[in-house]
mmCIF file with all atom_site columns, all heavy atoms in Angstrom:
data_model
loop_
_atom_site.group_PDB
_atom_site.id
_atom_site.type_symbol
_atom_site.label_atom_id
_atom_site.label_alt_id
_atom_site.label_comp_id
_atom_site.label_asym_id
_atom_site.label_entity_id
_atom_site.label_seq_id
_atom_site.pdbx_PDB_ins_code
_atom_site.Cartn_x
_atom_site.Cartn_y
_atom_site.Cartn_z
_atom_site.occupancy
_atom_site.B_iso_or_equiv
_atom_site.pdbx_formal_charge
_atom_site.auth_seq_id
_atom_site.auth_comp_id
_atom_site.auth_asym_id
_atom_site.auth_atom_id
_atom_site.pdbx_PDB_model_num
ATOM 1  N N   . ALA A 1 28 ? -10.147 33.599 -3.201  1.00 95.00 ? 28 ALA A N   1
ATOM 2  C CA  . ALA A 1 28 ? -10.947 33.539 -4.431  1.00 95.00 ? 28 ALA A CA  1
ATOM 3  C C   . ALA A 1 28 ? -10.600 32.295 -5.242  1.00 95.00 ? 28 ALA A C   1
ATOM 4  O O   . ALA A 1 28 ? -11.477 31.642 -5.812  1.00 95.00 ? 28 ALA A O   1
ATOM 5  C CB  . ALA A 1 28 ? -10.713 34.804 -5.263  1.00 95.00 ? 28 ALA A CB  1
ATOM 6  N N   . LEU A 1 29 ? -9.335  31.939 -5.290  1.00 95.00 ? 29 LEU A N   1
ATOM 7  C CA  . LEU A 1 29 ? -8.917  30.745 -6.024  1.00 95.00 ? 29 LEU A CA  1
ATOM 8  C C   . LEU A 1 29 ? -9.393  29.470 -5.329  1.00 95.00 ? 29 LEU A C   1
ATOM 9  O O   . LEU A 1 29 ? -9.817  28.526 -5.984  1.00 95.00 ? 29 LEU A O   1
ATOM 10 C CB  . LEU A 1 29 ? -7.399  30.737 -6.201  1.00 95.00 ? 29 LEU A CB  1
ATOM 11 C CG  . LEU A 1 29 ? -6.891  31.763 -7.214  1.00 95.00 ? 29 LEU A CG  1
ATOM 12 C CD1 . LEU A 1 29 ? -5.406  31.996 -7.046  1.00 95.00 ? 29 LEU A CD1 1
ATOM 13 C CD2 . LEU A 1 29 ? -7.226  31.318 -8.632  1.00 95.00 ? 29 LEU A CD2 1
ATOM 14 N N   . LYS A 1 30 ? -9.321  29.438 -4.018  1.00 96.00 ? 30 LYS A N   1
ATOM 15 C CA  . LYS A 1 30 ? -9.784  28.262 -3.276  1.00 96.00 ? 30 LYS A CA  1
ATOM 16 C C   . LYS A 1 30 ? -11.264 28.003 -3.530  1.00 96.00 ? 30 LYS A C   1
ATOM 17 O O   . LYS A 1 30 ? -11.685 26.856 -3.672  1.00 96.00 ? 30 LYS A O   1
ATOM 18 C CB  . LYS A 1 30 ? -9.513  28.429 -1.792  1.00 96.00 ? 30 LYS A CB  1
ATOM 19 C CG  . LYS A 1 30 ? -8.046  28.290 -1.455  1.00 96.00 ? 30 LYS A CG  1
ATOM 20 C CD  . LYS A 1 30 ? -7.865  27.898 -0.023  1.00 96.00 ? 30 LYS A CD  1
ATOM 21 C CE  . LYS A 1 30 ? -6.527  27.262 0.216   1.00 96.00 ? 30 LYS A CE  1
ATOM 22 N NZ  . LYS A 1 30 ? -6.230  26.084 -0.541  1.00 96.00 ? 30 LYS A NZ  1
ATOM 23 N N   . LEU A 1 31 ? -12.066 29.061 -3.599  1.00 95.00 ? 31 LEU A N   1
ATOM 24 C CA  . LEU A 1 31 ? -13.490 28.913 -3.886  1.00 95.00 ? 31 LEU A CA  1
ATOM 25 C C   . LEU A 1 31 ? -13.725 28.330 -5.280  1.00 95.00 ? 31 LEU A C   1
ATOM 26 O O   . LEU A 1 31 ? -14.792 27.796 -5.560  1.00 95.00 ? 31 LEU A O   1
ATOM 27 C CB  . LEU A 1 31 ? -14.211 30.261 -3.754  1.00 95.00 ? 31 LEU A CB  1
ATOM 28 C CG  . LEU A 1 31 ? -14.364 30.793 -2.327  1.00 95.00 ? 31 LEU A CG  1
ATOM 29 C CD1 . LEU A 1 31 ? -14.916 32.213 -2.342  1.00 95.00 ? 31 LEU A CD1 1
ATOM 30 C CD2 . LEU A 1 31 ? -15.257 29.878 -1.496  1.00 95.00 ? 31 LEU A CD2 1
ATOM 31 N N   . GLN A 1 32 ? -12.710 28.449 -6.141  1.00 93.00 ? 32 GLN A N   1
ATOM 32 C CA  . GLN A 1 32 ? -12.804 27.928 -7.503  1.00 93.00 ? 32 GLN A CA  1
ATOM 33 C C   . GLN A 1 32 ? -12.034 26.614 -7.659  1.00 93.00 ? 32 GLN A C   1
ATOM 34 O O   . GLN A 1 32 ? -11.693 26.210 -8.761  1.00 93.00 ? 32 GLN A O   1
ATOM 35 C CB  . GLN A 1 32 ? -12.319 28.996 -8.487  1.00 93.00 ? 32 GLN A CB  1
ATOM 36 C CG  . GLN A 1 32 ? -13.200 30.237 -8.424  1.00 93.00 ? 32 GLN A CG  1
ATOM 37 C CD  . GLN A 1 32 ? -12.784 31.301 -9.399  1.00 93.00 ? 32 GLN A CD  1
ATOM 38 O OE1 . GLN A 1 32 ? -12.659 31.040 -10.601 1.00 93.00 ? 32 GLN A OE1 1
ATOM 39 N NE2 . GLN A 1 32 ? -12.579 32.524 -8.911  1.00 93.00 ? 32 GLN A NE2 1
ATOM 40 N N   . HIS A 1 33 ? -11.751 25.975 -6.521  1.00 94.00 ? 33 HIS A N   1
ATOM 41 C CA  . HIS A 1 33 ? -11.127 24.651 -6.495  1.00 94.00 ? 33 HIS A CA  1
ATOM 42 C C   . HIS A 1 33 ? -9.709  24.660 -7.079  1.00 94.00 ? 33 HIS A C   1
ATOM 43 O O   . HIS A 1 33 ? -9.312  23.728 -7.779  1.00 94.00 ? 33 HIS A O   1
ATOM 44 C CB  . HIS A 1 33 ? -12.003 23.611 -7.202  1.00 94.00 ? 33 HIS A CB  1
ATOM 45 C CG  . HIS A 1 33 ? -13.415 23.646 -6.745  1.00 94.00 ? 33 HIS A CG  1
ATOM 46 N ND1 . HIS A 1 33 ? -13.805 23.149 -5.517  1.00 94.00 ? 33 HIS A ND1 1
ATOM 47 C CD2 . HIS A 1 33 ? -14.531 24.179 -7.305  1.00 94.00 ? 33 HIS A CD2 1
ATOM 48 C CE1 . HIS A 1 33 ? -15.090 23.346 -5.368  1.00 94.00 ? 33 HIS A CE1 1
ATOM 49 N NE2 . HIS A 1 33 ? -15.558 23.970 -6.426  1.00 94.00 ? 33 HIS A NE2 1
ATOM 50 N N   . VAL A 1 34 ? -8.974  25.705 -6.779  1.00 95.00 ? 34 VAL A N   1
ATOM 51 C CA  . VAL A 1 34 ? -7.599  25.836 -7.246  1.00 95.00 ? 34 VAL A CA  1
ATOM 52 C C   . VAL A 1 34 ? -6.671  25.815 -6.033  1.00 95.00 ? 34 VAL A C   1
ATOM 53 O O   . VAL A 1 34 ? -6.876  26.556 -5.070  1.00 95.00 ? 34 VAL A O   1
ATOM 54 C CB  . VAL A 1 34 ? -7.403  27.148 -8.040  1.00 95.00 ? 34 VAL A CB  1
ATOM 55 C CG1 . VAL A 1 34 ? -5.939  27.339 -8.428  1.00 95.00 ? 34 VAL A CG1 1
ATOM 56 C CG2 . VAL A 1 34 ? -8.295  27.166 -9.270  1.00 95.00 ? 34 VAL A CG2 1
#
Side-chain angles (χ1 to χ4, degrees):
L29 288 163
K30 287 203 159 301
L31 289 172
Q32 298 182 54
H33 311 286
V34 175

